[in-house]
Amino acid sequence: MIKIAVLGYGTIGSGVVEALDINKEVIKEHAGQDIEVKYVLDLRDFPGTPIESKLVHDYDVIVNDPEVDIVVEVMGGTHPAYEYAKAALEAGKSVATSNKALVAEYGPELIALAREKNLNFLFEASVGGGIPIIRPILRSLNVDTIHHITGILNGTTNYILTKMFEEGSTYEEALKDAQALGYAEADPTADVDGFDAARKIAILSSLIYGKTVNFQEITTEGIRNITDVDMKYAKALGKKIKLLGITYNIDGKIYSEVAPHMIDKKHMMYMVDDVMNGIETHGNLLGDTMFYGAGAGKLPTASAVVSDIIDEVKHLHVNIPIKWDAEPMVLEDHTKHWSKFFVRVDAECEEMKTCFKLEQLTKLDDYPDEYAIVTEELTFEEFYSKIEGNSHIRSIIQVK
Ligand code: HSE
C-alpha cells in the first residue's frame, strides 16, 4: 500500500481522488499495489464529504510524515506550489503535478532535484490536460529530429474561436459564454493573451530539445483582436482561425511563437474544435503524428495525473530520466521567420493589391468598404517593411 497526499481539492484535486476511486482495480493492477490518499491539503473545509477525515491545513503534517511517498501538487500557481514541491522532494517524496506555471518556471530545477534524490518529478497533465504527450515526447519521439511541434494548447481560446466560427458570435459574446461555462477565468488574460499556450509550448519544446525554452521569450499574440468579421473571411476562404503554439527547428535554429493562424482543411488542426486540444509533431524519420483529446477538465486531467502517480509507485526511489537541462535555449529572432499573411484593408487602399504576389484576393458582399488579401510567404521583417505606415489595414493574421 502506497500513501499519497493531494495538495489542493479544486477541480483537478477532487478529480484525482475520484479517479483513484472509480478505477481502483485497474490502477492497482498497473501500480502493483493499492494507492491510498492519506491527506488532502486545502485552505477550505469540506464537511460531509469523503475527504473530511483526510483534510489538513498545515503542509508540515504531510512533509514530515514518513508514510507519505508521493505528493500530488494540483493547486496551480507558482507559490507556494514551488516551495511545497521542493520541500517534498527534499523530504524524499516524489511529486506529480498538473501545474504548467510551476513546470514552465521551475521544471529543470525540480527535475534535477528529483534526479539527485533518486525520486521523480512528473508532469504529464501540465500540457494538453488528459492527452498523453509528455511521455511520448520523452520515450518515443526521442528517436527523431523534430522539425516542428504545433499545438492547439488552450481549450478556452479554442472554445471562443469555435463559437465565433460556428455561430457568428463576436469575441466579447463568445468570451462571456466561455466564462459562464466555467472555461475562462473572471480575468481571462492568461488564456486569451496566449500566455497559457506559451508556457505549454515552452514545456514541450524544452523536453524535445533538452534545454530550457523561456516562455517569456516566445513571441506571443493572443486572440483579443480577432473579430467576427475576420471569422467571416476565414469561412469564405475555406479556413478556420486557431490559436497555435509552434516551435520550428530549421537546420538547428529554433523559432517559437504563439499566434492566431488561419488554417485550411488539409491542416490536421482544422478539426480540433471546442475545448479540445491537438498537438502535431513532424519528425525526420516518423513524419507527422497527431495527438488529440481533452486539454482540460476534471477527470481527463486527473487521468494524466494518476498515470504519473502509477509511474512513481512503480519507480519508488528510482529516477525516471528526463532530459531537460537548465541551460537556456537560444531562440532565433522571430522577425527572420516567415509566413503567409491575411490582410484586411480599406477598399480605397489599392496599394495592397500590388505590393505582394497575391495568393488570394477576396471581397465579401456584406463589407463593400474593404477587401482582403492573402500574401505569398515572406519573412515578418519583409512583410512589416512593406506595410509600414499604412493606416488602412484593419487586421493581419498569419496563414498556414
Ligand atoms: N486554461 C486552460 C485552458 C486550462 O483553457 O486550456 C488547462 O490548462
Side-chain angles (χ1 to χ4, degrees), residues 19-57:
L20 286 166
D21 185 48
I22 301 172
N23 281 13
K24 197 176 170 63
E25 290 312 316
V26 73
I27 292 167
K28 180 179 177 179
E29 226 167 86
H30 288 289
Q33 50 190 312
D34 276 314
I35 298 172
E36 185 198 306
V37 178
K38 182 166 183 185
Y39 301 111
V40 173
L41 179 85
D42 205 287
L43 293 172
R44 299 161 294 178
D45 288 310
F46 296 93
T49 69
I51 59 118
E52 190 177 6
S53 61
K54 304 170 190 288
L55 199 70
V56 291
H57 300 302

Side-chain angles (χ1 to χ4, degrees), residues 100 126 153-157 183 185 191 196 200 277 295-296:
K100 64 238 156 179
S126 64
L153 298 167
N154 182 267
T156 305
T157 46
Y183 298 144
E185 309 284 328
D191 291 318
D196 177 77
K200 290 169 176 169
N277 282 194

Side-chain angles (χ1 to χ4, degrees), residues 24 47 140 272 288:
K24 197 176 170 63
S140 311
V272 180
D288 291 330

Side-chain angles (χ1 to χ4, degrees), residues 57-85:
H57 300 302
D58 178 4
Y59 184 53
D60 286 346
V61 174
I62 294 168
V63 92
N64 293 327
D65 184 339
E67 273 193 0
V68 174
D69 280 308
I70 296 168
V71 168
V72 180
E73 187 285 301
V74 283
M75 302 183 299
T78 39
H79 301 287
Y82 163 69
E83 288 75 13
Y84 286 2

Side-chain angles (χ1 to χ4, degrees), residues 374-393:
V374 175
T375 70
E376 77 276 31
E377 201 160 69
L378 64 179
T379 66
F380 286 82
E381 210 171 31
E382 286 162 343
F383 173 75
Y384 280 103
S385 75
K386 279 179 190 258
I387 61 161
E388 200 179 350
N390 189 318
S391 57
H392 295 285
I393 290 175

